[in-house]
Amino acid sequence: MQKPPFKKDEPFIGSEDGVLLKQIQDTHAPDGSDFTVRPLLHIVDDILNPVMSQDVGIIEDYNKQTGVHAMIECYLSIYPWEAKLLLSLAALALNHGEIWLLAEVYSSNQLAASLAILKQVPEIMENSFYHKRQHDALTNLVKSIIDMTWCIIQFKELPSDYITKDEPPFSTAVAAIPFAVYWSIRSILLSATEITRLTSTGDEYYMPSAQEAELSLVANKISRGHDYFKQELSKCLDRIDEKFRREVETMLCGQIDNMDLLKRLIYRKDDILPLFDGRIKRTVTLDVLKSKDVLLLISDLHISQDELSILEQIYYETEYSKGSPAMVWMLIVDPSVRWTESMQRRHQNLQVEMPWYSVYRPSLIDPVVIRFVKERWHFRNKHIVVVLDSKGRELNPNARHMMYIWGTVAFPFTRKREEELWKGEQWTLELLVDGIDPKLINWMREGKHMFLYGGLDIDWIRKFTATANKVARDANISLEMVYVGKSLDSGRKKVEEIMQIINMEKLSSCWPDMTMIWFFWARVESMLLSKIQLEKRDDEDPVLQELKKIRDYDKNDVGWAILAKGSTLMESSDSWEPKADAAFKFFVDKSPVSSSSQPPADSE
């Protein structure tokens, strides 16, 4: 079906539409009732999108006895404009959803089969594919209406503190909403009529030229309306974000106390208790954070138990120290994503587990805050920890890596403290595995030779551990080996399988807890990020060079190993051969060597 041509810059409301717009506005007589539209629109979207994309349904033809004006005036006049549109879509969804549900189950359920016969579902299913062109046109029209509806309700949700509602672009967009609602309802009624005719006449269906022209007209109107509202919404959001950014960035430089900033970031009103206290398991006011250093733990629902266990350990270590910061979990959820029961359960479970504060409901966090967090603090998928002092000053945009590397020693988690700690560090085994395994600390003190090794090649692991043990026995040296696996983002199950084999065959030691392996690799990544954020150069920083080697080892599944004597890391390699006796003896007999040294070639 060809759409009549129209200019791209043609306005959504033309000069000739003034009379029609006045007639539309005259039908509007709201009774002042509040109408929450977003949950209902999610339901309508869930119903209409799969139904319209998979098959043609049926709807009662309520267009026969009434026109668009009469329908709006008689049935919808008391509702806000966005509610008028949504209720019309809901009527379409109600009828479509009923037929589609019957179509799904009528072949296996006797009651559904009887209802399906009354609704003519078998005939609808048989004839639906004959009229794909008309069906696709109606489908695209309904989808465009839904998309435009999402734009319209977002205008109603914009924060009044950051947008001037009596000035463009907000005022002009809101003034166009009645016009958009009129054309949307007109499109819905037309769609309903054509779907009824299509499903009731079957193979004999055809669309008269007048109806085809009308469908093209409303489709173009809706398409232009959607483009218009999307463009104006983008302008409004840009203005809001800019004003919010300037306001909050000023506060991040310091205020009398931190309350104004926290109200902007968490919840501004005083009508509810916005925080959940994980210790006493009840809601509290924001005042519990007044004049305290605050750690904002920002994450989505996918924060892992491994991550939480490490954060809990650090939290408990700092909780009772003087001047300890308060931690607050801010759950970031995409406002366009429907909040489901499974998401609610996940949120509640996490909230109850956490011993610190959390924002009671994620919906309390304004969308403008979510955009700010993503832009300024670069929040994507992995959690971040933003450090604010008692006056609201930003001390660190993300202290997660400092916490992972040094734990509570890094307090108060400032950039200055980070630089101080790195000045005292060298490339040692203690830095690489600090605090993960007490056994390793004891072996370091005893000056033992140790191999940390990883990879997912079990044949290589068998050959490597056998060779290393033989060399140690022949040299009468006490050797310990620990398998550290692979980063668990993609290889957790395989690592668990290899650990079972290593333990069963007694090839070496393994860390008993997968969290320890996860934490080893999380610390490697954190040290890399810390060095990069401090703008360290590879050629000037041997620690950074060695960290990159380990990261590169982890990029593939081949085996690799790091040799240490005491706390001194002597060499790392991903090319240890089964007959590497000479190479191992070279490292055993030598004093600690630099990382640039290489073992000699194997001798036969």
Side-chain angles (χ1 to χ4, degrees):
M1 185 178 299
Q2 296 295 319
K3 296 181 180 180
F6 62 93
K7 298 178 181 178
K8 270 191 172 182
D9 56 352
E10 185 179 348
F12 176 48
I13 303 179
S15 56
E16 73 281 3
D17 294 320
V19 175
L20 175 59
L21 184 57
K22 176 67 167 59
Q23 291 174 344
I24 296 167
Q25 290 171 333
D26 287 344
T27 67
H28 190 50
D31 63 0
S33 300
D34 192 23
F35 195 95
T36 304
V37 296
R38 184 173 283 271
L40 182 56
L41 183 52
H42 274 299
I43 295 171
V44 169
D45 203 352
D46 286 346
I47 294 171
L48 284 180
N49 265 326
V51 172
M52 294 300 293
S53 63
Q54 295 182 59
D55 213 322
V56 177
I58 187 170
I59 186 168
E60 297 298 326
D61 184 7
Y62 51 77
N63 191 32
K64 288 182 179 178
Q65 302 298 326
T66 181
V68 182
H69 291 89
M71 178 176 173
I72 294 175
E73 188 168 15
C74 293
Y75 300 110
L76 301 172
S77 63
I78 65 171
Y79 298 103
W81 287 109
E82 67 275 13
K84 298 182 204 291
L85 174 53
L86 188 53
L87 289 171
S88 301
L89 277 170
L92 192 67
L94 180 63
N95 287 278
H96 271 75
E98 179 187 7
I99 294 297
W100 184 247
L101 179 61
L102 289 175
E104 285 281 294
V105 302
Y106 81 95
S107 61
S108 59
N109 183 288
Q110 185 56 50
L111 176 59
S114 299
L115 289 172
I117 291 171
L118 294 175
K119 293 284 187 179
Q120 297 179 307
V121 168
E123 289 83 356
I124 294 171
M125 298 296 289
E126 288 172 8
N127 296 323
S128 61
F129 70 92
Y130 288 119
H131 309 289
K132 187 176 187 303
R133 184 169 66 89
Q134 292 90 342
H135 173 242
D136 288 348
L138 293 170
T139 297
N140 293 333
L141 176 58
V142 172
K143 286 183 176 179
S144 295
I145 297 170
I146 292 174
D147 291 340
M148 186 170 67
T149 305
W150 278 116
C151 284
I152 288 172
I153 69 167
Q154 287 183 74
F155 278 101
K156 295 298 184 178
E157 296 171 343
L158 294 178
S160 57
D161 294 330
Y162 299 104
I163 192 75
T164 304
K165 294 197 170 184
D166 57 355
E167 293 180 4
F170 183 88
S171 61
T172 51
V174 170
I177 288 178
F179 195 66
V181 170
Y182 165 82
W183 279 103
S184 296
I185 294 177
R186 182 169 168 177
S187 302
I188 291 168
L189 294 175
L190 177 63
S191 300
T193 301
E194 290 308 310
I195 291 171
T196 300
R197 294 178 63 249
L198 177 59
T199 55
S200 61
T201 57
D203 294 345
E204 299 175 1
Y205 170 80
Y206 76 98
M207 184 180 289
S209 58
Q211 276 84 346
E212 192 161 359
E214 172 78 355
L215 187 59
S216 292
L217 173 65
V218 297
N220 279 337
K221 276 289 187 182
I222 297 301
S223 176
R224 286 160 51 199
H226 179 222
D227 290 343
Y228 170 76
F229 285 111
K230 187 165 62 172
Q231 181 180 21
E232 297 306 293
L233 180 63
S234 178
K235 293 177 184 177
C236 289
L237 292 178
D238 287 344
R239 294 191 180 191
I240 291 168
D241 290 350
E242 177 61 22
K243 187 172 181 180
F244 182 82
R245 182 187 61 79
R246 289 199 305 265
E247 182 182 64
V248 173
E249 285 184 350
T250 299
M251 293 179 180
L252 288 170
C253 295
Q255 302 286 305
I256 296 175
D257 60 40
N258 57 1
M259 291 311 295
D260 283 344
L261 173 65
L262 294 175
K263 285 182 178 180
R264 296 298 187 281
L265 294 176
I266 295 175
Y267 189 66
R268 299 186 66 168
K269 300 178 183 178
D270 297 322
D271 53 344
I272 63 170
L273 301 176
L275 293 182
F276 181 82
D277 189 331
R279 295 167 303 173
I280 60 177
K281 309 303 179 189
R282 68 167 181 252
T283 54
V284 294
T285 70
L286 271 178
D287 289 336
V288 298
L289 305 176
K290 187 173 183 177
S291 299
K292 284 189 176 183
D293 292 344
V294 175
L295 305 179
L296 295 179
L297 169 59
I298 300 173
S299 83
D300 59 19
L301 282 171
H302 297 107
I303 188 169
S304 70
Q305 288 302 127
D306 292 330
E307 292 167 322
L308 286 174
S309 65
I310 299 302
L311 289 169
E312 278 190 36
Q313 180 181 332
I314 295 170
Y315 173 79
Y316 283 124
E317 288 176 1
T318 62
E319 184 181 16
Y320 299 108
S321 60
K322 185 177 180 180
S324 62
M327 185 178 287
V328 180
W329 179 41
M330 291 178 63
L331 173 61
I332 299 299
V333 179
D334 186 340
S336 66
V337 174
R338 182 182 178 187
W339 185 251
T340 64
E341 289 185 9
S342 62
M343 294 168 71
Q344 177 69 14
R345 287 193 299 271
R346 172 68 175 162
H347 172 246
Q348 289 176 339
N349 290 339
L350 287 171
Q351 196 170 56
V352 169
E353 287 179 24
M354 293 176 177
W356 46 77
Y357 299 108
S358 59
V359 179
Y360 182 50
R361 291 196 304 265
S363 59
L364 298 180
I365 300 173
D366 197 278
V368 67
V369 177
I370 295 175
R371 294 191 296 272
F372 176 83
V373 165
K374 291 180 178 180
E375 179 183 349
R376 180 178 177 88
W377 293 322
H378 308 293
F379 171 73
R380 296 297 180 267
N381 298 317
K382 294 187 177 182
H383 76 270
I384 61 174
V385 181
V386 179
V387 183
L388 306 173
D389 74 2
S390 59
K391 296 185 180 299
R393 287 179 295 217
E394 178 188 313
L395 302 183
N396 197 326
N398 186 10
R400 183 191 70 212
H401 53 274
M402 291 184 69
M403 292 178 165
Y404 283 4
I405 300 168
W406 296 290
T408 55
V409 174
F411 183 76
F413 308 114
T414 62
R415 286 293 181 88
K416 181 180 178 181
R417 179 60 177 157
E418 187 175 9
E419 291 178 350
E420 290 173 352
L421 289 169
W422 273 123
K423 286 179 182 178
E425 296 289 3
Q426 294 180 328
W427 183 239
T428 63
L429 185 61
E430 189 171 6
L431 171 64
L432 191 58
V433 298
D434 179 46
I436 295 178
D437 186 355
K439 286 190 303 184
L440 281 173
I441 304 298
N442 292 333
W443 293 342
M444 287 182 223
R445 291 172 183 158
E446 294 169 9
K448 285 189 174 184
H449 289 84
M450 288 168 279
F451 272 120
L452 295 187
Y453 73 95
L456 300 180
D457 186 341
I458 190 59
D459 292 331
W460 182 93
I461 290 171
R462 289 186 176 111
K463 292 173 183 177
F464 168 73
T465 53
T467 300
N469 279 321
K470 181 180 183 303
V471 172
R473 285 194 304 270
D474 292 347
N476 195 27
I477 288 171
S478 176
L479 175 68
E480 303 290 349
M481 291 183 285
V482 179
Y483 176 68
V484 297
K486 182 179 173 67
S487 59
L488 302 182
D489 291 343
S490 58
R492 188 181 195 105
K493 184 176 180 182
K494 185 66 175 176
V495 169
E496 289 176 334
E497 292 172 355
I498 288 176
M499 288 173 64
Q500 290 177 358
I501 295 172
I502 291 172
N503 288 326
M504 185 172 60
E505 299 180 12
K506 296 182 171 54
L507 301 178
S508 74
S509 294
C510 288
W511 282 331
D513 188 347
M514 290 297 290
T515 299
M516 297 168 75
I517 290 180
W518 167 82
F519 192 40
F520 172 83
W521 290 105
R523 291 187 74 255
V524 168
E525 179 190 32
S526 295
M527 286 187 276
L528 272 169
L529 287 174
S530 176
K531 288 285 188 179
I532 291 169
Q533 288 181 8
L534 292 175
E535 299 181 348
K536 300 299 182 181
R537 290 173 49 185
D538 291 21
D539 56 352
E540 297 176 351
D541 195 322
V543 173
L544 181 57
Q545 293 172 14
E546 295 300 326
L547 287 167
K548 286 188 173 182
K549 278 188 189 179
I550 296 175
R551 180 197 60 188
D552 290 342
Y553 296 157
D554 188 53
K555 286 181 179 178
N556 53 57
D557 296 342
V558 300
W560 59 271
I562 299 175
L563 176 64
K565 185 177 188 302
S567 183
T568 303
L569 287 168
M570 300 173 68
E571 186 59 75
S572 63
S573 177
D574 60 351
S575 58
W576 298 94
E577 297 295 334
K579 296 183 179 179
D581 299 35
F584 185 37
K585 287 180 181 177
F586 171 79
F587 288 116
V588 170
D589 294 338
K590 289 275 290 182
S591 58
V593 296
S594 69
S595 60
S596 60
S597 299
Q598 296 295 327
D602 296 346
S603 57
E604 295 294 339

